Amino acid sequence: MSDARRTDAVLLLVALVWGSSYLSAQTAVSALPVLTVLFARYALSSVACLGVMGASRRGPRRWTRDEVRAGVPLGLTQAVVLVVETYGVAHTSAANAGLIISLAIVLTPLLDRSGHPGGLPRSFYAAAGVCVLAVGLLMSDHGFQAPRLGDLLMLAAAGLRAVHVALVGRFTARRAVRPLQLTTLQTLVGTALFLPAAAVTGMSGLVRADGATWTQLLYLALFCSVFAFLAQTWAVQRTSASRASLLLGTEPVWAALVGVALGGDHLGPLTGLGAALMVAGTYWGQSVERAHRAPAPAPDQASGPTALRVPDPDPAPVPAPDASARAQEDPSCRTTTATTPTTV
């Protein structure tokens, strides 16, 4: 296999892993309270991220002042996103969750105008309109009726994720912030936040949880978070941001396929049309935004590029993919960038 094909395969695997995270989260919250699941996922991810930091032999391992100033508030906003997102997954289908959360891809550029100060073209708003229509069809299920609570929560999570991604760009722009250190700090903040909440809802459930539940928790933390981010970092450094964005943008497709094939979800005629429109609208909006993005100014020696949501064992900052490239933070380690779903 050539290097280019190997890189594409890794990016597609990351998108598949993130797409499957919605069904895994749905399975986990069916056995444990949502706040307990979030605590376990954050805690396991923190241990793994700290292990990766400790294994790195190059550069300082402690956090810089810029990383602390960015990591603490971003850890708080990330936790809010994940609470709403995980409660949403618990009350809707995994396929719908993965498709609706992808709306953040077109919402983020509306909030973060730094890459296109002259404004977005009309075609972008047309693409956003297609996505809004798609959300309405996805919520219709087998006919037009009152939307389900889970769908509304996922819609709110998409908006909150867009806000979080815009804040990532604002807090990390022109600062030497290392993605791995930033991600690790956010997981530690999340662990601290969810510890008392999980203690109230019942930590004993973790002790009594069966092997299947722990398998889902470990999969969410180690594969959907740590592995996916490290693999994405490796791949992004070997391809263009546009190509990485395109491949990672297949996450909602994988979410729908996994939900239907493994989760027993059913897409009726209206929801099937909504799924197709959501994928088409997000791809259209993503391509329009990328084509009109203004070139970023070259950072000086004392600053670094905007950090993305993927950790990097190398202490030197790495170039970030387009803001439209999914950031969406898999819940525990996904910090950044836009993109995205991710993830739960």
Side-chain angles (χ1 to χ4, degrees):
M1 183 183 295
S2 66
D3 289 341
R5 290 185 178 181
R6 184 182 299 111
T7 302
D8 288 351
V10 170
L11 288 170
L12 283 174
L13 179 60
V14 171
L16 170 58
V17 167
W18 278 339
S20 66
S21 67
Y22 300 96
L23 180 59
S24 294
Q26 189 179 63
T27 304
V29 297
S30 66
L32 294 170
V34 169
L35 296 179
T36 303
V37 169
L38 287 172
F39 165 73
R41 186 172 183 182
Y42 263 108
L44 292 169
S45 297
S46 297
V47 172
C49 288
L50 288 171
V52 174
M53 281 184 60
S56 178
R57 299 181 180 180
R58 293 186 294 172
R61 297 173 184 173
R62 63 180 61 183
W63 290 278
T64 65
R65 183 175 299 179
D66 281 343
E67 288 164 352
V68 172
R69 288 177 176 175
V72 173
L74 290 178
L76 295 174
T77 58
Q78 183 188 64
V80 173
V81 173
L82 296 181
V83 168
V84 178
E85 187 174 313
T86 308
Y87 273 111
V89 169
H91 294 88
T92 190
S93 67
N96 267 22
L99 289 163
I100 293 175
I101 199 67
S102 65
L103 187 63
I105 295 175
V106 294
L107 291 177
T108 301
L110 296 175
L111 300 174
D112 181 16
R113 308 298 292 272
S114 59
H116 26 74
L120 291 161
R122 293 181 179 178
S123 56
F124 179 86
Y125 294 98
V130 171
C131 292
V132 172
L133 174 60
V135 170
L137 292 173
L138 288 170
M139 290 181 176
S140 68
D141 200 13
H142 298 292
F144 290 103
Q145 53 187 316
R148 289 178 294 184
L149 173 63
D151 293 331
L152 293 175
L153 287 173
M154 293 308 300
L155 185 59
L160 291 171
R161 178 181 288 188
V163 172
H164 172 75
V165 172
L167 291 176
V168 169
R170 179 172 300 181
F171 287 150
T172 61
R174 300 184 63 79
R175 295 179 182 177
V177 175
R178 295 163 294 176
L180 175 58
Q181 276 70 11
L182 180 64
T183 296
T184 304
L185 184 57
Q186 288 183 91
T187 62
L188 291 172
V189 170
T191 302
L193 285 174
F194 288 116
L195 175 58
V200 172
T201 57
M203 293 287 287
S204 59
L206 283 175
V207 179
R208 298 194 304 267
D210 57 20
T213 301
W214 272 105
T215 298
Q216 299 296 339
L217 293 174
L218 289 171
Y219 179 74
L220 288 169
L222 302 183
F223 287 88
C224 299
S225 298
V226 181
F227 161 75
F229 291 118
L230 292 178
Q232 186 192 17
T233 301
W234 176 88
V236 165
Q237 291 176 316
R238 289 162 174 79
T239 188
S240 67
S242 297
R243 189 169 185 83
S245 174
L246 178 66
L247 294 170
L248 292 173
T250 61
E251 178 189 343
V253 179
W254 295 114
L257 291 176
V258 170
V260 171
L262 301 179
D265 296 340
H266 175 69
L267 297 180
L270 289 178
T271 51
L273 177 59
L277 288 176
M278 178 61 76
V279 173
T282 52
Y283 269 85
W284 183 17
Q286 190 179 44
S287 62
V288 170
E289 193 275 341
R290 187 169 56 242
H292 288 266
R293 173 169 293 278
D300 54 34
Q301 293 181 350
S303 63
T306 299
L308 65 159
R309 60 175 169 69
V310 294
D312 179 13
D314 190 331
V318 298
D322 294 21
S324 57
R326 176 108 176 111
Q328 303 110 34
E329 325 178 340
D330 161 78
S332 13
C333 263
R334 290 180 188 185
T335 97
T336 79
T337 38
T339 99
T340 283
T342 201
T343 114
V344 194

